[in-house]
Amino acid sequence: MDTLTRLEATIAQRRTADPASSYVAQLSARGTPVMARKLGEEAVEACVAALAGSREDLVGEAADLLFHLIVLLADKGIPFSEVTAELDRREGTSGLDEKASRSA
């Protein structure tokens, strides 16, 4: 089991835990808008770290970003495997071609 798969399983388990003992449960109790805002905050922090922080800062912010993305996906009932399947589908396709196909 890889790291992201283990993380996804841990998040699934903790979503219904006591919010007093689990950050994931706290986020779940607060609802999708809070989870989405938190994901946005983490994305901005990753961008800031990329521009002005150290390598370690960016690694930490990237980890936070992936964590919060998986929390939000779990809230929406989307397994991370669907995201990786979409990446697999796009593999070998030019990023420009893929982007153009979405705007058509």
Side-chain angles (χ1 to χ4, degrees), residues 84-96:
T84 58
E86 177 62 13
L87 290 170
D88 289 343
R89 184 190 69 76
R90 295 179 186 185
E91 188 173 352
T93 302
S94 158
L96 296 174

